[in-house]
């Protein structure tokens, strides 16, 4: 027979799922929130997003060449890391700092461990945390969305904005390119009574609050997350466990002292919780593989997020919580591995062959 | 009514609509038939004819080579032209009896027990099954008379007939249940009688409502329970079937008989009926010929030993370069290098795929998505087993229950990185067995 | 420069350092672990490759085994005769090293000689490929060239050619046996290093079947066995006998019509497999040698017929009756004796 047929081991059919399809569908799910952030903040957001994504892809290609591996930039994982990192950074961040973040995310947290699938820590969060610690001032300057000329700040009307939408004057105070703290930062800074001064929750949903681009579009992020859930790209365990824990924690503390602690709605909709629940904590590579382990992961991340937010040294706890839970993933996997069919224990290999 | 089925599994594209409604046609016998002496699990059969002998259709031409073995019969009348090594469907050469067909189909005489088979004792019936050369026709080809002779300390209370046919593309069992429903039901009753099992269950996947009706009708008046199973692969796996039908779980390393159950394929049941009632041996089986490269897919009654090339020629199907020829279904079937292999007792389907469906994508790194874990019906962690296999970590692979893997292919089907998980796990299993042999 | 504070700091830190070092040296004595000093000396002389060829887990395992008496001193292939002698010195035993061996891949059938009959897709591993449809190569016994042996070799002695064949560098090979164990077709065998001629084929099938699948396989023509007593037939395969002590002349390789026999006195292995110029040179030398043989045989026949022709005067009917065709002056059709 001279027809060279293809021979391979069974099975001879696949589901059609591929790694690029998964990665790009997550990018798609983030697209609405990304577009909205660009609309809100304009060029500052666009430049941060473009620069971070470009640098991540560039570093991934560079590492692939240096380590003599076949190119992996088309699988979308570097672009996704870049996008997630960009959405957690403040718009207007100097682009060279974005590049440093991309370097830490791709080269140090991913490529050095062996590339896709081998990194123990979430690359985007590792990049963000590094920047936060190395450039604390730049990472805590938050821009006001450019649509809000008539807005007030700390009860005073905003009277001047610069070309990029930054408040240069509020009330009777002239300041140079002042940047206002985020609601969470406000909480921390102003102390207990600020709860009463907090903007109403609806404004969170519509993004009329200064903050990182990721914070401002909780609603769009939620929609993106549900899209991924329906498409079976992510499992429900981590988002539900995480959001549930955050809500529960906030509810309990709010009950205990309503004037000091904000309620569940505030905590769920502000900061990086929505982004974290649907896009960051659900990263396959750095989260547990088994359903029960995923629930443990979500609960642990939720508790840590709240503890850091309420009593920790930083206004935002999502990135640290995720990284700390990433470190625990091997334990979660070991504790919750499934028992083989008909076995009595999880590590039962069965009778001798 | 759908029964809550097993945990795990996948939902592949089935493509059964191409042949599910096509009545089975007999395929004209070829000029030369090749009957491998090993078409079953166990010792190869031993030829009882010599080169040059004339044989009649239905005549025994090879006796079982041990207890776990099976007899072989001539599906045509003619002469024995050779007994020599020939290529077989598992990629190796195997000794085979080659028959030159005289196209007369002169049959030997058969003596069955008729409808009064219940008068005979279990040993007689079992012997008739053995002499008919019946093996598991679902693909495993385990000699049926051995399954009908469990050790005395195992009481069987339920016999399940596997009508799931969970492999995509294949409709051989489906057609059999429609066209020979009474034979299937009768076969189950015979098996129950032999084993002394009071309960009989026939499980059929819900995507075969006509078969469910036909079998239910044939089973009216009997205590046999006909159940509808959820459409999922691998519903037809023994342990999954028992778990779904009876909610019993076969313990690790044990067999169905250890939970009082014996499972047989529908084709096997029908063959047992024919052997006991009519005295006819196993001479042919239904084969579904289908695939994206087959323009006229069909179900055929094919005589055992018919070369696959002959079947394809009859169906006007050409093998194109870079296409794939598979014996069996797409999940557990075996890819072939050429079509000069015979149809044997375990050949339930011949699948010919076009190049675009045949090419395997290169593997990319594992992203730890966990889809393989979700899919595995034996509750293993295929990702981990694959890594152990690559790194030759044999004790760890053994502890992770690599030997429990039934190689159903659900994990590799689900994997978005196209990692050849089944191939890796097979390597790990081979290493585990080699290490165990070394220790001895 | 040295203020009071500085001197005080120096004094304090200095005394801490002194106290710590005294404590450490006392501790070293109290907590010392008894080791057999032979262990360290053995570890110094062993190759340190941890190849497992001795059957022990790494060189340290072997050293411990030697001390415990569970290891044979001659068991280290990479160490070779020098190390064996040194082990003997350390352990206080006189040892004669075994014969140095090398591993040889018994196949020269790359893609051009034994082409693939199917397109194998899947794990790039010979064991895995062998299990799929019995291997996609035309010859069921030949090298699959996917590099499993190369990965197993810790001495980097194995290369896989672009044409899909494994070749072993005899200078790097230490006969540890890892490749032999892992090859699914058992193509690699150990041979004494001093052997210079190898039959590069293990296909035992009938000549017609071998010829159908490979252009360089052994077709059991037995011509090589006539050139040397060391070449013997193992059923339908020519092999170099390990027991027979005889020379193997260059003609063994030249007489083989398939070019199965590799003689490393004539060519380097990589040239033999990869360089078409080497093959062309071989064919030319083969033709030349055949022509010489023909001439030699013709001359021998001439001599024989000349010596038989002399006593023709005597009525020796026996001689005429026993005359072989072609030995007298009349030319016969074939001309071959």
């Amino acid at each position: 027979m001279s027809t060279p047929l293809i021979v391979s081991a069974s099975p001879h059919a696949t589901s059609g799922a591929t790694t690029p399809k998964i990665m790009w569908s997550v990018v798609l799910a983030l697209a609405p929130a990304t577009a909205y952030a660009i609309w809100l903040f304009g060029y500052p957001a666009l430049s941060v997003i473009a620069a971070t994504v470009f640098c991540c892809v560039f570093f991934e290609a560079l590492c692939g060449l240096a380590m003599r591996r076949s190119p992996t930039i088309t699988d979308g994982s570097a672009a996704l890391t870049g996008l997630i990192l960009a959405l957690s950074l403040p718009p207007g961040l100097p682009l060279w700092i974005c590049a440093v973040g991309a370097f830490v995310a791709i080269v140090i947290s991913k490529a050095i461990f062996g590339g896709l699938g081998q990194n123990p820590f979430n690359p985007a969060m590792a990049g963000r945390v590094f920047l936060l610690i190395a450039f604390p001032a730049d990472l805590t300057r938050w821009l006001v969305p450019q649509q809000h000329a008539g807005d007030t700040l700390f009860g005073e009307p905003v009277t001047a904005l610069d070309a990029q939408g930054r408040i240069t004057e509020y009330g009777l105070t002239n300041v140079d390119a002042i940047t206002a703290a985020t609601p969470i930062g406000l909480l921390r800074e102003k102390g207990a009574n600020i709860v009463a001064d907090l903007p109403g929750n609806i404004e969170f949903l519509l993004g009329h609050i200064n903050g990182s681009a990721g914070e401002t579009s909780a609603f769009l992020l939620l929609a993106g997350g549900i899209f991924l859930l329906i498409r079976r790209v992510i499992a429900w365990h981590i988002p539900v466990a995480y959001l549930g824990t955050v809500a529960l924690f906030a509810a309990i503390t709010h009950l205990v002292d309503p004037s000091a602690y904000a309620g569940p709605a505030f905590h769920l909709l502000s900061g990086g919780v929505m982004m974290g629940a649907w896009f960051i904590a659900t990263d396959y590579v750095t989260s547990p593989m088994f359903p029960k382990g995923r629930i443990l992961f979500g609960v642990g991340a939720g508790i840590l997020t709240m503890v850091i937010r309420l009593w920790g040294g930083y206004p935002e706890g999502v990135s640290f919580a995720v990284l700390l839970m990433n470190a625990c993933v091997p334990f979660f996997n070991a504790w919750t591995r499934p028992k083989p069919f008909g076995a009595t224990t999880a590590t039962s290999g069965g009778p001798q062959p | 009514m759908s029964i809550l089925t097993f945990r795990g599994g996948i939902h592949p594209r089935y493509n059964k609509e191409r042949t599910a409604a096509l009545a089975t046609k007999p395929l004209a016998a070829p000029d030369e038939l090749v009957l491998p002496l090993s078409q079953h699990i166990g010792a190869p059969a031993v030829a009882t004819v010599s080169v040059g002998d004339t044989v009649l259709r239905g005549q025994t031409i090879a006796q079982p080579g041990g207890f776990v073995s099976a007899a072989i019969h001539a599906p045509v009348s003619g002469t024995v032209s050779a007994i020599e090594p020939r290529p077989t469907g598992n990629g190796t050469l195997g000794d085979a009896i080659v028959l030159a067909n005289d196209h007369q189909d002169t049959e030997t005489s058969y003596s069955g027990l008729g409808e009064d088979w219940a008068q005979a004792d279990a040993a007689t019936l079992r012997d008739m099954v053995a002499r008919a050369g019946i093996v598991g026709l679902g693909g495993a080809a385990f000699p049926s008379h051995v399954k009908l002779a469990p050790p005395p300390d195992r009481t069987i209370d339920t016999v399940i007939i596997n009508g799931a046919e969970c492999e995509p593309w294949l409709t051989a069992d489906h057609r059999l249940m429609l066209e020979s429903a009474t034979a299937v039901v009768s076969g189950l009753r015979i098996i129950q009688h032999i084993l002394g099992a009071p309960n009989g269950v026939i499980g059929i996947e819900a995507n075969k409502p006509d078969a469910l009706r036909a079998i239910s009708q044939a089973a009216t008046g009997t205590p046999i329970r006909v159940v509808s199973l959820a459409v999922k692969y691998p519903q037809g796996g023994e342990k999954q079937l028992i778990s779904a039908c009876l909610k019993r779980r076969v313990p690790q390393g044990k067999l169905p008989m250890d939970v009082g159950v014996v499972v047989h394929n529908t084709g096997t049941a029908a063959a047992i009926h024919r052997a006991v009632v009519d005295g006819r041996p196993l001479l042919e089986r239904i084969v579904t010929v289908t695939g994206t490269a087959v323009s006229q897919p069909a179900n055929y009654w094919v005589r055992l030993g018919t070369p696959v090339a002959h079947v394809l020629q009859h169906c006007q199907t050409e093998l194109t370069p870079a296409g794939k020829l598979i014996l069996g279904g797409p999940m557990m079937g075996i890819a072939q290098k050429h079509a000069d292999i015979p149809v044997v007792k375990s050949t339930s389907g011949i699948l010919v795929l076009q190049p675009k469906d045949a090419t395997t994508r290169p593997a990319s790194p594992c992203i730890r998505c966990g889809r393989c874990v979700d899919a595995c019906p034996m509750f293993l962690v295929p990702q981990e087993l694959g890594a152990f296999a690559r790194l030759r970590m044999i004790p760890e692979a053994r502890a992770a229950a690599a030997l429990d893997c039934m190689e159903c292919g659900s994990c590799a089907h689900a994997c978005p990185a196209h990692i050849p998980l089944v191939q890796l796990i097979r390597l790990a299993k081979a290493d585990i067995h080699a290490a165990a042999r070394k220790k001895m | 420069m040295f203020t009071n504070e500085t001197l005080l700091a120096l004094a304090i830190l200095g005394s801490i350092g002194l106290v710590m070092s005294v404590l450490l040296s006392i501790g070293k004595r109290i907590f010392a672990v008894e080791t057999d000093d032979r262990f360290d000396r053995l570890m110094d002389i062993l190759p340190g490759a941890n190849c497992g060829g001795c059957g022990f887990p790494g060189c340290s395992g072997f050293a411990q085994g030697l001390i415990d008496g569970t290891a044979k001193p001659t068991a280290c292939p990479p160490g070779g005769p020098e190390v064996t002698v040194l082990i003997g010195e350390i352990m206080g035993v006189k040892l004669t090293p075994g014969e140095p061996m090398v591993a040889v891949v018994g196949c020269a059938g790359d893609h051009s000689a034994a082409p693939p009959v199917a397109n194998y897709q899947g794990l790039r591993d010979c064991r895995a490929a062998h299990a799929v449809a019995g291997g996609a190569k035309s010859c069921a016994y030949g090298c699959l060239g996917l590099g499993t042996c190369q990965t197993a070799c810790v001495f980097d002695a194995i290369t896989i050619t672009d044409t899909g064949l494994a070749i072993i560098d005899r200078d790097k090979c230490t006969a540890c046996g890892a490749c032999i164990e892992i090859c699914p077709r058992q193509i690699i065998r150990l041979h004494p290093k001093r052997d210079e001629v190898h039959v590069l084929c293990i296909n035992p099938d009938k000549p017609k079947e071998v010829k159908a699948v490979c252009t360089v396989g052994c077709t059991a023509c037995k011509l090589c066995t006539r050139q040397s007593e060391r070449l013997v037939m193992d059923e339908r395969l020519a092999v170099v006998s390990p027991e027979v002590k005889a020379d193997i002349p260059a003609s063994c390789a030249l007489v083989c019509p398939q070019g199965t026999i590799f003689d490393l006195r004539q060519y380097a292995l990589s040239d033999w497999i990869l360089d078409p110029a080497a093959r062309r040179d071989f064919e030319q030398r083969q033709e030349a040698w055949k022509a010489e043989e023909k001439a030699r045989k013709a001359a021998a026949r001439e001599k024989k017929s000349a010596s038989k022709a002399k006593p023709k005067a005597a009525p020796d009917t026996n001689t005429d009756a026993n005359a072989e065709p072609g030995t007298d002056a009349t030319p016969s059709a074939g001309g071959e004796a």
Side-chain angles (χ1 to χ4, degrees):
Chain A
M1 268 297 223
S2 59
T3 45
L5 297 171
I6 292 181
V7 291
S8 69
S10 61
H12 309 285
T14 53
S15 59
T18 65
T19 304
K21 266 192 207 163
I22 292 173
M23 298 295 164
W24 290 114
S25 58
V26 181
V27 170
L28 185 67
L30 276 172
T34 310
Y36 188 60
I38 295 173
W39 179 73
L40 274 185
F41 295 101
Y43 178 75
L46 179 62
S47 57
V48 166
I49 293 169
T52 315
V53 171
F54 174 78
C55 288
C56 281
V57 174
F58 172 75
F59 284 126
E60 171 119 327
L62 205 65
C63 286
L65 278 170
M67 294 178 178
R68 274 173 285 219
R69 279 193 224 120
S70 44
T72 52
I73 52 177
T74 48
D75 67 14
S77 61
L80 180 59
T81 301
L83 188 56
I84 293 177
L85 177 59
L87 292 176
S88 70
L89 296 175
L93 188 68
L95 299 185
W96 70 270
I97 294 183
C98 297
V100 171
F103 180 84
V104 172
I106 296 296
V107 179
I108 297 184
S109 328
K110 190 172 158 196
I112 280 180
F113 285 99
L116 182 63
Q118 310 279 23
N119 45 296
F121 294 105
N122 188 309
M125 290 300 99
R128 188 199 191 279
V129 164
F130 176 84
L131 290 183
L132 184 60
I133 296 175
F135 308 101
D138 295 284
L139 268 275
T140 50
R141 301 173 77 205
W142 301 110
L143 293 189
V144 177
Q146 60 190 4
Q147 279 80 3
H148 303 294
D151 278 12
T152 57
L153 190 64
F154 300 133
E156 310 278 348
V158 171
T159 45
L161 291 171
D162 68 5
Q164 286 162 309
R166 279 185 283 204
I167 299 170
T168 50
E169 196 176 78
Y170 74 102
L172 296 168
T173 317
N174 270 314
V175 284
D176 283 332
I178 198 174
T179 52
T182 63
I184 303 176
L186 272 181
L187 260 190
R188 306 290 326 281
E189 211 180 283
K190 304 282 185 177
N193 291 323
I194 199 60
V195 174
D197 291 338
L198 268 182
N201 288 331
I202 193 68
E203 291 178 298
F204 273 110
L205 281 178
L206 297 178
H208 290 183
I209 298 299
N210 40 336
S212 75
E215 289 182 342
T216 57
S217 38
F219 185 62
L220 290 169
L221 290 167
L222 179 64
I226 293 186
F227 164 74
L228 290 180
L229 203 61
I230 292 172
R231 298 266 306 192
R232 302 177 142 242
V233 174
I234 57 176
W236 60 265
H237 307 84
I238 292 179
V240 168
Y242 184 57
L243 292 173
T245 309
V246 166
L248 192 64
F249 204 106
I252 293 174
T253 49
H254 183 66
L255 270 174
V256 166
D257 188 350
S259 61
Y261 301 113
F266 170 76
H267 281 287
L268 282 177
L269 298 171
S270 75
V273 166
M274 246 342 139
M275 173 90 132
W278 299 103
F279 297 95
I280 297 173
T282 49
D283 172 44
Y284 293 148
V285 179
T286 51
S287 59
M289 283 208 305
F290 312 123
K292 295 201 187 97
R294 288 174 176 154
I295 292 180
L296 281 176
F297 182 88
V299 168
I303 293 174
L304 280 171
T305 303
M306 290 308 294
V307 166
I308 296 173
R309 268 191 178 183
L310 299 182
W311 305 302
Y314 286 92
E316 183 47 276
V318 177
S319 40
F320 293 107
V322 168
L323 287 177
L324 286 167
M325 282 293 106
N326 288 157
C328 300
V329 163
F331 285 112
F332 293 148
N333 278 333
W335 294 337
T336 61
R337 59 179 300 127
K339 256 194 318 208
F341 191 106
T344 39
T345 63
T347 46
S348 165
Q352 284 292 328
Chain B
M1 32 91 184
S2 257
I3 290 192
L4 203 60
T5 179
F6 60 99
R7 193 182 103 203
I10 51 169
H11 298 276
R13 275 182 288 273
Y14 283 101
N15 298 310
K16 290 187 192 256
E17 61 283 351
R18 301 186 95 220
T19 51
L22 299 175
T24 315
K25 302 178 281 197
L27 186 78
D31 297 328
E32 185 184 84
L33 286 87
V34 177
L35 291 138
L37 290 173
S38 183
Q39 299 182 34
H40 48 263
I41 291 179
V46 176
T48 51
V49 293
S50 319
V51 179
D53 287 358
T54 334
V55 294
L56 297 172
R57 173 169 150 88
Q59 176 182 336
T60 310
I61 56 174
Q63 289 290 1
F67 179 54
V68 184
S69 188
I72 298 178
H73 304 77
V76 295
S77 56
T79 31
V80 179
S81 56
I83 301 179
E84 60 187 14
R86 283 292 183 102
T88 63
N90 60 11
T92 56
L93 288 175
D95 282 327
I97 299 175
V98 184
L99 295 178
N101 189 1
D102 64 8
H103 294 285
Q104 299 296 313
D105 267 348
T106 330
E107 272 190 291
T108 184
S109 55
Y110 306 120
S111 59
L113 296 175
E115 294 300 328
D116 289 330
W117 54 263
Q119 309 290 329
D121 66 349
T124 316
L125 294 173
R126 200 180 298 133
D127 187 56
M128 292 184 81
V129 170
R131 279 188 282 117
I134 298 174
V135 301
L137 295 181
F142 189 77
S144 302
H145 66 275
V146 179
K147 240 187 191 174
L148 292 170
D153 56 344
R154 298 276 190 277
T155 12
I156 309 298
D157 61 87
T158 309
V159 177
I160 303 179
I161 295 299
N162 187 351
E165 198 162 43
C166 52
E167 277 264 14
W169 289 104
L170 304 185
T171 50
D173 286 350
H174 185 176
R175 292 309 312 175
L176 183 77
M177 289 190 286
L178 283 175
E179 294 157 10
S180 314
T182 31
V184 172
V185 172
S186 164
L188 169 57
R189 291 177 55 228
I190 296 171
I191 296 169
Q192 279 183 263
H193 180 86
I194 296 176
L195 293 169
N199 307 309
V201 178
I202 303 183
I204 302 173
E205 271 191 358
N207 58 4
K208 298 182 250 294
D210 48 358
L212 274 161
R213 279 193 300 273
I215 294 280
S216 299
Q217 204 160 14
T220 41
T222 68
I224 291 170
R225 212 163 48 106
V226 179
V227 295
S228 170
L229 300 166
V231 182
K232 197 158 57 151
Y233 177 86
Q235 181 65 273
E238 259 185 347
K239 300 185 177 178
Q240 285 65 39
L241 194 61
I242 297 171
S243 158
C245 292
L246 305 174
K247 303 268 185 288
R248 291 183 212 175
R249 237 177 229 187
V250 178
Q252 196 179 32
K254 299 271 188 235
L255 295 165
M257 65 167 145
D258 294 313
V259 291
V261 182
V262 163
V263 179
H264 277 280
N265 171 267
T266 35
T268 316
I272 289 176
H273 161 87
R274 271 185 225 108
V276 164
V277 171
D278 301 329
R280 294 181 65 89
L282 188 56
L283 301 175
E284 58 227 337
R285 62 157 299 143
I286 303 182
V287 177
T288 307
V289 182
T290 181
T292 48
V294 179
S295 48
Q296 291 167 326
N299 303 295
Y300 288 110
W301 275 105
V302 181
R303 316 252 183 141
L304 299 176
T306 304
V308 171
H310 173 89
V311 179
L312 293 177
Q313 196 185 31
H314 186 91
C315 301
Q316 282 127 27
T317 301
E318 297 259 310
L319 288 177
T320 46
K324 223 175 201 179
L325 170 65
I326 300 166
L327 280 198
M331 296 304 294
M332 292 182 77
I334 304 178
Q336 301 298 324
K337 294 188 280 207
H338 52 72
D340 296 326
I341 50 210
V343 166
V344 292
K345 295 177 182 177
S346 54
T347 311
S348 43
I350 296 173
L351 201 57
V352 189
L353 298 178
Q354 283 179 338
K356 62 173 172 70
D357 309 300
T359 319
T360 44
R361 303 186 104 183
S364 54
C366 169
I367 53 172
R368 306 182 65 93
C369 66
R371 288 169 191 221
C372 56
V373 180
D374 294 333
C376 182
M378 296 302 288
F379 311 158
L380 305 173
V381 187
Q383 173 263 341
E384 196 181 51
L385 293 174
F388 288 152
R390 246 188 243 276
L391 299 166
R392 302 201 83 194
M393 292 166 66
I394 299 162
E396 289 83 353
R398 170 124 169 63
L403 294 177
D404 284 6
C405 170
M406 54 174 190
E407 299 176 27
C408 69
S410 302
C411 51
H413 183 275
C415 180
H418 306 108
I419 296 174
L421 289 164
V422 178
Q423 204 175 16
L424 283 165
I425 295 175
R426 280 195 191 122
L427 276 182
K429 282 168 145 187
D431 279 342
I432 293 172
H433 285 296
R437 272 195 302 270
K438 246 194 197 166
K439 278 212 195 108
M440 296 178 181
Chain C
M1 187 170 77
F2 282 109
T3 60
N4 280 340
E5 285 95 4
T6 321
L7 285 171
L8 190 60
L10 278 170
I12 291 175
L13 287 174
S15 10
I16 292 175
L18 198 63
V19 169
M20 285 293 131
S21 28
V22 168
L23 283 174
L24 278 171
S25 32
I26 295 174
K28 183 172 184 243
R29 244 156 278 252
I30 299 175
F31 297 113
V33 174
E34 283 291 332
T35 46
D36 193 325
D37 85 315
R38 289 180 301 177
F39 184 83
D40 292 321
R41 288 161 63 200
L42 284 168
M43 288 302 289
D44 281 335
I45 54 139
L46 288 175
N50 292 325
C51 71
C54 53
F56 285 84
C59 298
S60 53
F62 182 55
Q64 193 57 49
L66 285 168
I67 292 172
D68 295 338
T70 51
K72 268 200 352 226
T74 47
C76 176
E82 309 88 35
V83 166
T84 310
V85 169
L86 288 171
I87 291 175
E89 282 171 19
I90 295 174
M91 303 300 296
V93 193
K94 182 129 177 38
L95 293 170
T96 36
E99 158 115 56
M101 308 283 269
V102 282
V104 178
V105 176
C107 177
D110 59 4
H111 289 331
S112 46
V117 290
N119 180 349
Y120 167 71
Q121 293 182 352
L123 275 181
R124 303 323 284 171
D125 178 290
C126 301
R127 298 174 298 152
H130 179 69
V132 174
K137 199 183 173 98
S138 53
C139 174
Y141 306 88
C143 173
L144 291 164
L146 289 171
T148 305
C149 52
Q150 184 185 38
T151 316
C153 180
V154 299
F155 300 99
D156 285 333
I158 306 184
T159 29
I160 308 292
T161 65
D162 290 332
T163 49
L165 187 72
I167 48 182
I168 300 180
D169 181 340
R170 53 190 284 122
D171 296 317
K172 288 191 184 158
C173 174
T174 61
C176 72
C179 56
I180 294 170
E181 202 211 313
I182 210 168
C183 176
R185 293 181 163 189
Q186 279 115 45
I187 299 172
I188 309 181
R189 314 266 166 88
L190 277 182
H191 295 269
K193 197 160 182 178
R194 57 185 165 78
D195 273 3
E196 290 154 326
V197 177
H198 300 286
V199 179
L200 296 185
C201 180
I202 58 161
N203 187 333
D205 285 346
K206 295 190 199 138
K208 224 167 57 173
E209 289 163 5
V210 175
K211 255 197 162 143
V213 300
C214 182
T215 55
V216 295
C218 173
T219 50
C221 65
K222 301 189 188 163
L223 288 173
C224 58
T225 59
R226 296 201 203 131
Q227 298 296 322
S228 166
E229 281 177 4
R230 264 203 91 187
L231 266 313
V232 296
M233 293 308 292
D234 177 8
E235 290 194 20
R236 291 190 285 254
L237 195 61
V239 291
V240 175
S241 163
E243 290 100 30
V244 175
K245 302 248 182 286
D247 285 333
I248 305 180
S251 55
C252 267
L254 292 170
V255 78
C256 177
Q258 292 277 91
T260 315
I261 299 186
F262 168 64
D263 188 334
L264 65 86
R265 297 168 300 196
Q266 301 175 33
Y267 301 99
L269 182 60
S270 47
D271 290 336
W272 179 246
I273 303 289
L274 291 171
D275 192 357
R279 283 278 168 173
R280 277 196 300 272
D281 179 76
F282 171 75
E283 275 155 25
Q284 281 170 1
R285 289 176 53 233
Q286 208 174 28
E287 291 303 310
W289 179 82
K290 273 199 211 152
E292 278 172 31
E293 272 299 288
K294 213 165 146 181
R296 214 173 313 158
K297 283 196 179 123
R301 279 201 307 278
E302 286 287 316
K303 245 184 150 176
K304 209 171 182 181
S305 63
S307 65
K308 285 217 162 92
K310 277 193 187 130
K312 219 177 186 175
D316 195 350
T317 46
N318 273 345
T319 320
D320 289 324
N322 292 340
E324 290 159 36
T327 50
D328 51 21
T330 50
S332 57
E336 282 277 295

